[in-house]
mmCIF file of all heavy atoms in Angstrom:
data_model
loop_
_atom_site.group_PDB
_atom_site.id
_atom_site.type_symbol
_atom_site.label_atom_id
_atom_site.label_comp_id
_atom_site.label_asym_id
_atom_site.label_seq_id
_atom_site.Cartn_x
_atom_site.Cartn_y
_atom_site.Cartn_z
ATOM 1 N N LEU A 1 3.332 -110.998 18.378
ATOM 2 C CA LEU A 1 4.499 -110.209 18.742
ATOM 3 C C LEU A 1 5.776 -110.923 18.332
ATOM 4 O O LEU A 1 6.712 -110.310 17.811
ATOM 5 C CB LEU A 1 4.508 -109.924 20.247
ATOM 6 C CG LEU A 1 5.713 -109.144 20.777
ATOM 7 C CD1 LEU A 1 5.825 -107.784 20.095
ATOM 8 C CD2 LEU A 1 5.611 -108.986 22.280
ATOM 9 N N GLU A 2 5.810 -112.223 18.535
ATOM 10 C CA GLU A 2 6.986 -113.008 18.151
ATOM 11 C C GLU A 2 7.238 -112.909 16.644
ATOM 12 O O GLU A 2 8.372 -112.681 16.203
ATOM 13 C CB GLU A 2 6.779 -114.470 18.550
ATOM 14 C CG GLU A 2 7.982 -115.339 18.314
ATOM 15 C CD GLU A 2 7.754 -116.759 18.801
ATOM 16 O OE1 GLU A 2 7.293 -116.945 19.946
ATOM 17 O OE2 GLU A 2 8.046 -117.691 18.026
ATOM 18 N N THR A 3 6.184 -113.038 15.853
ATOM 19 C CA THR A 3 6.318 -112.978 14.396
ATOM 20 C C THR A 3 6.769 -111.585 13.942
ATOM 21 O O THR A 3 7.673 -111.454 13.119
ATOM 22 C CB THR A 3 4.988 -113.350 13.706
ATOM 23 O OG1 THR A 3 4.621 -114.664 14.119
ATOM 24 C CG2 THR A 3 5.101 -113.282 12.204
ATOM 25 N N VAL A 4 6.129 -110.556 14.484
ATOM 26 C CA VAL A 4 6.479 -109.186 14.102
ATOM 27 C C VAL A 4 7.911 -108.869 14.515
ATOM 28 O O VAL A 4 8.677 -108.285 13.736
ATOM 29 C CB VAL A 4 5.479 -108.168 14.701
ATOM 30 C CG1 VAL A 4 5.962 -106.742 14.500
ATOM 31 C CG2 VAL A 4 4.095 -108.348 14.092
ATOM 32 N N ALA A 5 8.293 -109.266 15.718
ATOM 33 C CA ALA A 5 9.654 -108.995 16.201
ATOM 34 C C ALA A 5 10.698 -109.692 15.326
ATOM 35 O O ALA A 5 11.708 -109.085 14.954
ATOM 36 C CB ALA A 5 9.794 -109.431 17.653
ATOM 37 N N GLU A 6 10.456 -110.958 14.987
ATOM 38 C CA GLU A 6 11.405 -111.681 14.132
ATOM 39 C C GLU A 6 11.525 -111.022 12.763
ATOM 40 O O GLU A 6 12.634 -110.850 12.247
ATOM 41 C CB GLU A 6 10.957 -113.136 13.961
ATOM 42 C CG GLU A 6 11.194 -114.002 15.167
ATOM 43 C CD GLU A 6 10.631 -115.413 15.001
ATOM 44 O OE1 GLU A 6 10.130 -115.756 13.897
ATOM 45 O OE2 GLU A 6 10.688 -116.170 15.984
ATOM 46 N N THR A 7 10.396 -110.658 12.186
ATOM 47 C CA THR A 7 10.408 -110.016 10.865
ATOM 48 C C THR A 7 11.127 -108.679 10.936
ATOM 49 O O THR A 7 11.931 -108.349 10.066
ATOM 50 C CB THR A 7 8.974 -109.826 10.340
ATOM 51 O OG1 THR A 7 8.321 -111.099 10.325
ATOM 52 C CG2 THR A 7 8.973 -109.237 8.947
ATOM 53 N N PHE A 8 10.846 -107.906 11.986
ATOM 54 C CA PHE A 8 11.497 -106.606 12.146
ATOM 55 C C PHE A 8 13.007 -106.778 12.261
ATOM 56 O O PHE A 8 13.769 -106.099 11.570
ATOM 57 C CB PHE A 8 10.946 -105.870 13.367
ATOM 58 C CG PHE A 8 11.628 -104.556 13.607
ATOM 59 C CD1 PHE A 8 11.270 -103.442 12.864
ATOM 60 C CD2 PHE A 8 12.640 -104.429 14.536
ATOM 61 C CE1 PHE A 8 11.911 -102.219 13.057
ATOM 62 C CE2 PHE A 8 13.284 -103.225 14.739
ATOM 63 C CZ PHE A 8 12.916 -102.116 13.995
ATOM 64 N N VAL A 9 13.452 -107.684 13.115
ATOM 65 C CA VAL A 9 14.892 -107.871 13.353
ATOM 66 C C VAL A 9 15.594 -108.385 12.100
ATOM 67 O O VAL A 9 16.694 -107.946 11.768
ATOM 68 C CB VAL A 9 15.133 -108.810 14.558
ATOM 69 C CG1 VAL A 9 16.585 -109.242 14.647
ATOM 70 C CG2 VAL A 9 14.710 -108.122 15.846
ATOM 71 N N GLU A 10 14.948 -109.307 11.385
ATOM 72 C CA GLU A 10 15.587 -109.914 10.214
ATOM 73 C C GLU A 10 15.545 -109.035 8.969
ATOM 74 O O GLU A 10 16.477 -109.073 8.161
ATOM 75 C CB GLU A 10 14.919 -111.259 9.899
ATOM 76 C CG GLU A 10 15.178 -112.325 10.941
ATOM 77 C CD GLU A 10 14.341 -113.581 10.732
ATOM 78 O OE1 GLU A 10 13.606 -113.670 9.721
ATOM 79 O OE2 GLU A 10 14.415 -114.468 11.595
ATOM 80 N N GLN A 11 14.484 -108.240 8.793
ATOM 81 C CA GLN A 11 14.332 -107.522 7.532
ATOM 82 C C GLN A 11 14.343 -106.007 7.669
ATOM 83 O O GLN A 11 15.063 -105.329 6.948
ATOM 84 C CB GLN A 11 13.024 -107.955 6.857
ATOM 85 C CG GLN A 11 13.029 -109.406 6.462
ATOM 86 C CD GLN A 11 11.727 -109.817 5.792
ATOM 87 O OE1 GLN A 11 10.941 -108.994 5.359
ATOM 88 N NE2 GLN A 11 11.501 -111.104 5.710
ATOM 89 N N THR A 12 13.536 -105.481 8.566
ATOM 90 C CA THR A 12 13.364 -104.031 8.647
ATOM 91 C C THR A 12 14.535 -103.348 9.338
ATOM 92 O O THR A 12 15.055 -102.344 8.853
ATOM 93 C CB THR A 12 12.054 -103.693 9.381
ATOM 94 O OG1 THR A 12 10.989 -104.422 8.769
ATOM 95 C CG2 THR A 12 11.748 -102.216 9.313
ATOM 96 N N LYS A 13 14.965 -103.894 10.458
ATOM 97 C CA LYS A 13 16.039 -103.283 11.237
ATOM 98 C C LYS A 13 17.323 -103.107 10.428
ATOM 99 O O LYS A 13 17.924 -102.025 10.474
ATOM 100 C CB LYS A 13 16.290 -104.100 12.505
ATOM 101 C CG LYS A 13 17.327 -103.484 13.414
ATOM 102 C CD LYS A 13 17.535 -104.321 14.658
ATOM 103 C CE LYS A 13 18.639 -103.710 15.505
ATOM 104 N NZ LYS A 13 19.014 -104.578 16.607
ATOM 105 N N PRO A 14 17.784 -104.120 9.675
ATOM 106 C CA PRO A 14 19.009 -103.909 8.887
ATOM 107 C C PRO A 14 18.878 -102.760 7.879
ATOM 108 O O PRO A 14 19.830 -101.993 7.700
ATOM 109 C CB PRO A 14 19.209 -105.249 8.171
ATOM 110 C CG PRO A 14 18.505 -106.249 9.015
ATOM 111 C CD PRO A 14 17.333 -105.517 9.599
ATOM 112 N N ASP A 15 17.707 -102.635 7.259
ATOM 113 C CA ASP A 15 17.501 -101.527 6.317
ATOM 114 C C ASP A 15 17.574 -100.184 7.035
ATOM 115 O O ASP A 15 18.207 -99.240 6.547
ATOM 116 C CB ASP A 15 16.144 -101.657 5.615
ATOM 117 C CG ASP A 15 16.081 -102.833 4.662
ATOM 118 O OD1 ASP A 15 17.145 -103.370 4.292
ATOM 119 O OD2 ASP A 15 14.956 -103.218 4.278
ATOM 120 N N LEU A 16 16.935 -100.101 8.201
ATOM 121 C CA LEU A 16 16.952 -98.849 8.957
ATOM 122 C C LEU A 16 18.349 -98.537 9.482
ATOM 123 O O LEU A 16 18.753 -97.369 9.522
ATOM 124 C CB LEU A 16 15.951 -98.913 10.112
ATOM 125 C CG LEU A 16 14.478 -99.009 9.717
ATOM 126 C CD1 LEU A 16 13.613 -99.160 10.958
ATOM 127 C CD2 LEU A 16 14.034 -97.807 8.896
ATOM 128 N N GLU A 17 19.085 -99.568 9.883
ATOM 129 C CA GLU A 17 20.465 -99.346 10.351
ATOM 130 C C GLU A 17 21.344 -98.794 9.240
ATOM 131 O O GLU A 17 22.184 -97.924 9.484
ATOM 132 C CB GLU A 17 21.052 -100.643 10.914
ATOM 133 C CG GLU A 17 20.486 -101.013 12.266
ATOM 134 C CD GLU A 17 20.963 -102.349 12.783
ATOM 135 O OE1 GLU A 17 21.332 -103.223 11.961
ATOM 136 O OE2 GLU A 17 20.958 -102.529 14.012
ATOM 137 N N LEU A 18 21.154 -99.300 8.014
ATOM 138 C CA LEU A 18 21.925 -98.767 6.882
ATOM 139 C C LEU A 18 21.614 -97.290 6.643
ATOM 140 O O LEU A 18 22.520 -96.484 6.400
ATOM 141 C CB LEU A 18 21.624 -99.567 5.612
ATOM 142 C CG LEU A 18 22.260 -100.941 5.523
ATOM 143 C CD1 LEU A 18 21.742 -101.693 4.288
ATOM 144 C CD2 LEU A 18 23.773 -100.827 5.467
ATOM 145 N N ILE A 19 20.342 -96.935 6.731
ATOM 146 C CA ILE A 19 19.949 -95.531 6.554
ATOM 147 C C ILE A 19 20.574 -94.684 7.664
ATOM 148 O O ILE A 19 21.146 -93.615 7.406
ATOM 149 C CB ILE A 19 18.415 -95.380 6.555
ATOM 150 C CG1 ILE A 19 17.784 -96.145 5.386
ATOM 151 C CG2 ILE A 19 18.017 -93.904 6.495
ATOM 152 C CD1 ILE A 19 16.265 -96.302 5.494
ATOM 153 N N ALA A 20 20.480 -95.157 8.911
ATOM 154 C CA ALA A 20 21.032 -94.407 10.046
ATOM 155 C C ALA A 20 22.541 -94.242 9.915
ATOM 156 O O ALA A 20 23.084 -93.175 10.208
ATOM 157 C CB ALA A 20 20.682 -95.111 11.356
ATOM 158 N N GLN A 21 23.229 -95.299 9.461
ATOM 159 C CA GLN A 21 24.685 -95.208 9.269
ATOM 160 C C GLN A 21 25.021 -94.231 8.153
ATOM 161 O O GLN A 21 25.924 -93.409 8.288
ATOM 162 C CB GLN A 21 25.258 -96.578 8.925
ATOM 163 C CG GLN A 21 25.480 -97.470 10.103
ATOM 164 C CD GLN A 21 26.059 -98.815 9.677
ATOM 165 O OE1 GLN A 21 25.827 -99.280 8.565
ATOM 166 N NE2 GLN A 21 26.802 -99.432 10.566
ATOM 167 N N GLU A 22 24.310 -94.357 7.052
ATOM 168 C CA GLU A 22 24.597 -93.502 5.900
ATOM 169 C C GLU A 22 24.394 -92.032 6.238
ATOM 170 O O GLU A 22 25.112 -91.166 5.757
ATOM 171 C CB GLU A 22 23.717 -93.911 4.721
ATOM 172 C CG GLU A 22 24.132 -93.288 3.415
ATOM 173 C CD GLU A 22 23.520 -93.976 2.214
ATOM 174 O OE1 GLU A 22 22.978 -95.086 2.351
ATOM 175 O OE2 GLU A 22 23.588 -93.380 1.136
ATOM 176 N N CYS A 23 23.405 -91.758 7.089
ATOM 177 C CA CYS A 23 23.096 -90.369 7.446
ATOM 178 C C CYS A 23 23.723 -89.962 8.780
ATOM 179 O O CYS A 23 23.491 -88.852 9.249
ATOM 180 C CB CYS A 23 21.585 -90.177 7.503
ATOM 181 S SG CYS A 23 20.784 -90.453 5.908
ATOM 182 N N ASP A 24 24.501 -90.876 9.401
ATOM 183 C CA ASP A 24 25.163 -90.619 10.677
ATOM 184 C C ASP A 24 24.170 -90.088 11.715
ATOM 185 O O ASP A 24 24.379 -89.050 12.340
ATOM 186 C CB ASP A 24 26.335 -89.646 10.490
ATOM 187 C CG ASP A 24 27.239 -89.611 11.709
ATOM 188 O OD1 ASP A 24 27.290 -90.614 12.442
ATOM 189 O OD2 ASP A 24 27.887 -88.568 11.931
ATOM 190 N N ASP A 25 23.052 -90.821 11.862
ATOM 191 C CA ASP A 25 21.984 -90.424 12.779
ATOM 192 C C ASP A 25 21.456 -91.662 13.498
ATOM 193 O O ASP A 25 20.495 -92.288 13.054
ATOM 194 C CB ASP A 25 20.860 -89.727 12.011
ATOM 195 C CG ASP A 25 19.766 -89.197 12.917
ATOM 196 O OD1 ASP A 25 19.836 -89.390 14.146
ATOM 197 O OD2 ASP A 25 18.820 -88.590 12.391
ATOM 198 N N PRO A 26 22.060 -92.053 14.633
ATOM 199 C CA PRO A 26 21.639 -93.269 15.325
ATOM 200 C C PRO A 26 20.195 -93.218 15.824
ATOM 201 O O PRO A 26 19.553 -94.248 15.966
ATOM 202 C CB PRO A 26 22.617 -93.384 16.497
ATOM 203 C CG PRO A 26 23.518 -92.232 16.441
ATOM 204 C CD PRO A 26 23.185 -91.397 15.259
ATOM 205 N N GLN A 27 19.678 -92.048 16.098
ATOM 206 C CA GLN A 27 18.303 -91.911 16.605
ATOM 207 C C GLN A 27 17.271 -92.131 15.505
ATOM 208 O O GLN A 27 16.112 -92.397 15.776
ATOM 209 C CB GLN A 27 18.122 -90.525 17.232
ATOM 210 C CG GLN A 27 16.797 -90.308 17.912
ATOM 211 C CD GLN A 27 16.555 -91.264 19.080
ATOM 212 O OE1 GLN A 27 17.484 -91.644 19.788
ATOM 213 N NE2 GLN A 27 15.315 -91.659 19.271
ATOM 214 N N LEU A 28 17.714 -92.091 14.265
ATOM 215 C CA LEU A 28 16.814 -92.204 13.123
ATOM 216 C C LEU A 28 15.990 -93.485 13.165
ATOM 217 O O LEU A 28 14.791 -93.466 12.889
ATOM 218 C CB LEU A 28 17.633 -92.159 11.831
ATOM 219 C CG LEU A 28 16.872 -92.079 10.537
ATOM 220 C CD1 LEU A 28 17.602 -91.154 9.594
ATOM 221 C CD2 LEU A 28 16.711 -93.432 9.897
ATOM 222 N N MET A 29 16.591 -94.598 13.557
ATOM 223 C CA MET A 29 15.889 -95.877 13.556
ATOM 224 C C MET A 29 14.742 -95.858 14.561
ATOM 225 O O MET A 29 13.624 -96.262 14.241
ATOM 226 C CB MET A 29 16.839 -97.033 13.851
ATOM 227 C CG MET A 29 16.206 -98.380 13.593
ATOM 228 S SD MET A 29 17.385 -99.711 13.579
ATOM 229 C CE MET A 29 17.519 -100.039 15.313
ATOM 230 N N ALA A 30 14.989 -95.401 15.777
ATOM 231 C CA ALA A 30 13.945 -95.360 16.799
ATOM 232 C C ALA A 30 12.832 -94.402 16.384
ATOM 233 O O ALA A 30 11.642 -94.709 16.548
ATOM 234 C CB ALA A 30 14.535 -94.936 18.139
ATOM 235 N N ASP A 31 13.202 -93.252 15.852
ATOM 236 C CA ASP A 31 12.196 -92.279 15.418
ATOM 237 C C ASP A 31 11.343 -92.834 14.285
ATOM 238 O O ASP A 31 10.120 -92.664 14.275
ATOM 239 C CB ASP A 31 12.862 -90.971 14.970
ATOM 240 C CG ASP A 31 13.509 -90.225 16.119
ATOM 241 O OD1 ASP A 31 13.213 -90.534 17.291
ATOM 242 O OD2 ASP A 31 14.332 -89.333 15.842
ATOM 243 N N ALA A 32 11.974 -93.518 13.332
ATOM 244 C CA ALA A 32 11.239 -94.074 12.194
ATOM 245 C C ALA A 32 10.256 -95.137 12.660
ATOM 246 O O ALA A 32 9.115 -95.197 12.184
ATOM 247 C CB ALA A 32 12.212 -94.657 11.163
ATOM 248 N N PHE A 33 10.663 -95.983 13.618
ATOM 249 C CA PHE A 33 9.776 -97.036 14.106
ATOM 250 C C PHE A 33 8.608 -96.439 14.879
ATOM 251 O O PHE A 33 7.460 -96.858 14.710
ATOM 252 C CB PHE A 33 10.549 -98.045 14.960
ATOM 253 C CG PHE A 33 9.771 -99.302 15.237
ATOM 254 C CD1 PHE A 33 9.213 -100.034 14.205
ATOM 255 C CD2 PHE A 33 9.596 -99.752 16.526
ATOM 256 C CE1 PHE A 33 8.496 -101.203 14.447
ATOM 257 C CE2 PHE A 33 8.892 -100.918 16.783
ATOM 258 C CZ PHE A 33 8.335 -101.637 15.748
ATOM 259 N N SER A 34 8.881 -95.439 15.711
ATOM 260 C CA SER A 34 7.802 -94.768 16.447
ATOM 261 C C SER A 34 6.814 -94.111 15.489
ATOM 262 O O SER A 34 5.598 -94.208 15.674
ATOM 263 C CB SER A 34 8.376 -93.705 17.395
ATOM 264 O OG SER A 34 9.148 -94.315 18.395
ATOM 265 N N ASP A 35 7.328 -93.453 14.468
ATOM 266 C CA ASP A 35 6.450 -92.817 13.471
ATOM 267 C C ASP A 35 5.614 -93.857 12.745
ATOM 268 O O ASP A 35 4.430 -93.643 12.490
ATOM 269 C CB ASP A 35 7.273 -92.012 12.461
ATOM 270 C CG ASP A 35 7.907 -90.774 13.062
ATOM 271 O OD1 ASP A 35 7.488 -90.359 14.165
ATOM 272 O OD2 ASP A 35 8.830 -90.223 12.427
ATOM 273 N N PHE A 36 6.218 -94.995 12.406
ATOM 274 C CA PHE A 36 5.488 -96.076 11.742
ATOM 275 C C PHE A 36 4.344 -96.566 12.621
ATOM 276 O O PHE A 36 3.210 -96.694 12.166
ATOM 277 C CB PHE A 36 6.436 -97.225 11.405
ATOM 278 C CG PHE A 36 5.731 -98.478 10.968
ATOM 279 C CD1 PHE A 36 5.164 -98.562 9.703
ATOM 280 C CD2 PHE A 36 5.626 -99.571 11.815
ATOM 281 C CE1 PHE A 36 4.507 -99.713 9.294
ATOM 282 C CE2 PHE A 36 4.978 -100.721 11.416
ATOM 283 C CZ PHE A 36 4.413 -100.797 10.157
ATOM 284 N N LEU A 37 4.644 -96.838 13.896
ATOM 285 C CA LEU A 37 3.600 -97.322 14.807
ATOM 286 C C LEU A 37 2.490 -96.296 14.980
ATOM 287 O O LEU A 37 1.312 -96.646 14.999
ATOM 288 C CB LEU A 37 4.217 -97.671 16.169
ATOM 289 C CG LEU A 37 5.130 -98.891 16.183
ATOM 290 C CD1 LEU A 37 5.830 -99.005 17.534
ATOM 291 C CD2 LEU A 37 4.350 -100.159 15.865
#
């Protein structure tokens, strides 16, 4: 969990935040992560 969380915060989350900002959809990040899981 520690490894996955660090990787997510450092690499995946910034990419998803950029997508959410570009599309003006803050819920997009949570939905994308839930769909991935």
Side-chain angles (χ1 to χ4, degrees):
L1 178 59
E2 185 177 311
T3 301
V4 171
E6 285 175 5
T7 304
F8 177 80
V9 168
E10 292 171 4
Q11 295 180 16
T12 308
K13 184 180 177 189
D15 291 343
L16 295 176
E17 286 175 334
L18 285 173
I19 298 167
Q21 279 180 332
E22 192 164 346
C23 297
D24 194 26
D25 184 358
Q27 186 61 34
L28 188 141
M29 191 167 83
D31 292 344
F33 193 53
S34 295
D35 291 344
F36 169 75
L37 291 172

